[in-house]
Amino acid sequence: MDQLALFDAPPWSRVIGVFDLETTGVDVAADRIVTAHVGLLDGAGSVLRARDWLADPGIAIPEGATAVHGVTTEHARTHGQPARTVTAEVIAALTELFDAGIPVVAYNAPFDFSMLKNEALRHGVTPIVSPAPVIDPLVMDKAYDRWRRGKRTLSVVAEHYAVRLDDAHEAAADAVAAGRVALALADRFAPWLPPTVQELHTRQIAWARAQAASLTDYFIQIGRLAPEERLDGSWPIR
């Protein structure tokens, strides 16, 4: 007879969506989408469905961004779809998941969803303004393992949870790794998880706000921020 797990993984972990963008930079208002991935994983982390996009962002891709994700301006202009087309198709793929009640995993969700929203507004596409339900392994990991030392980049956190990530900063690899980290979190912290994905989404809003406030206080203490400055803790979109 198979041994039963002491705590069952939450129902939402049986099928999850995954989402990631690679971009021209880190300014969600001014920078542009270069590559995108939206996929579907089962509860074991196997890929059920996947779709990738390459966009011509309409601006030059800085050398620093190319060094991160490997896409040059020339390659994007030659092989990429129009940015408006990519934005609309990514939004349609995500909307399909949300409409089906499937949670979408995005590591540091406010970056990807805010970037996508601003691209939509730029190109006259109806944006996703309230993505839900979203699962953000960065927020969850900080909440459930608050005092662990070290960086919380995707590559570091993936290694901590024994999730393989061979091609960091490649949209598909990052999206799938983030999804598998979310599944690892669901397994490890099952006894403490809220009963529904909707409640988990709501709790992450509060966790993200508290994490930003704590980091703000630390940055003020070390002189990185002025006392009147505050980090934006809005989640999952700004």
Side-chain angles (χ1 to χ4, degrees):
M1 180 182 293
D2 293 335
Q3 185 175 2
L4 295 176
L6 184 60
F7 295 97
D8 291 333
W12 60 257
S13 66
R14 295 169 189 161
V15 179
I16 58 171
V18 295
F19 168 48
D20 186 72
L21 299 175
E22 297 299 327
T23 63
T24 62
V26 297
D27 185 332
V28 297
D31 282 304
R32 312 293 176 88
I33 294 170
V34 177
T35 62
H37 178 89
V38 176
L40 201 63
L41 307 184
D42 67 15
S46 298
V47 177
L48 300 175
R49 200 170 78 194
R51 188 170 179 189
D52 296 285
W53 291 264
L54 170 64
D56 175 358
I59 62 172
I61 300 172
E63 290 183 3
T66 296
V68 171
H69 51 60
V71 181
T72 64
T73 301
E74 181 182 4
H75 182 79
R77 287 176 178 169
T78 302
H79 301 286
Q81 294 178 276
R84 187 186 192 282
T85 300
V86 170
T87 301
E89 290 183 358
V90 170
I91 286 173
L94 290 170
T95 299
E96 181 181 349
L97 296 176
F98 288 134
D99 287 349
I102 296 171
V104 173
V105 175
Y107 199 87
N108 190 20
F111 175 81
D112 297 273
F113 282 109
S114 300
M115 179 73 72
L116 183 64
K117 178 191 74 174
N118 288 323
E119 280 278 53
L121 295 172
R122 182 177 295 117
H123 296 293
V125 176
T126 302
I128 299 174
V129 294
S130 299
V134 172
I135 295 168
D136 189 337
L138 175 60
V139 172
M140 287 183 64
D141 181 51
K142 286 181 177 180
Y144 285 112
D145 199 356
R146 179 179 178 183
W147 303 112
R148 189 177 78 249
R149 290 183 174 273
K151 295 181 179 180
R152 303 278 180 149
T153 61
L154 176 57
S155 57
V156 170
V157 174
E159 183 178 4
H160 177 75
Y161 290 102
V163 170
R164 186 171 177 173
L165 175 56
D166 290 331
D167 297 308
H169 301 296
E170 192 274 327
D174 283 3
V176 171
R180 290 171 179 166
V181 169
L183 295 173
L185 286 160
D187 182 62
R188 181 171 299 190
F189 298 107
W192 298 279
L193 288 170
T196 67
V197 71
Q198 290 77 16
E199 176 63 22
L200 177 58
H201 180 98
T202 300
R203 289 196 190 181
Q204 287 174 99
I205 295 171
W207 291 339
R209 186 184 304 117
Q211 289 163 11
S214 177
L215 188 57
T216 295
D217 291 341
Y218 172 70
F219 281 167
I220 291 172
Q221 182 181 356
I222 66 173
R224 187 167 170 180
L225 288 178
E228 67 275 9
E229 293 182 286
R230 310 302 299 178
L231 297 177
D232 188 346
S234 304
W235 185 95
I237 194 167
R238 294 173 185 150

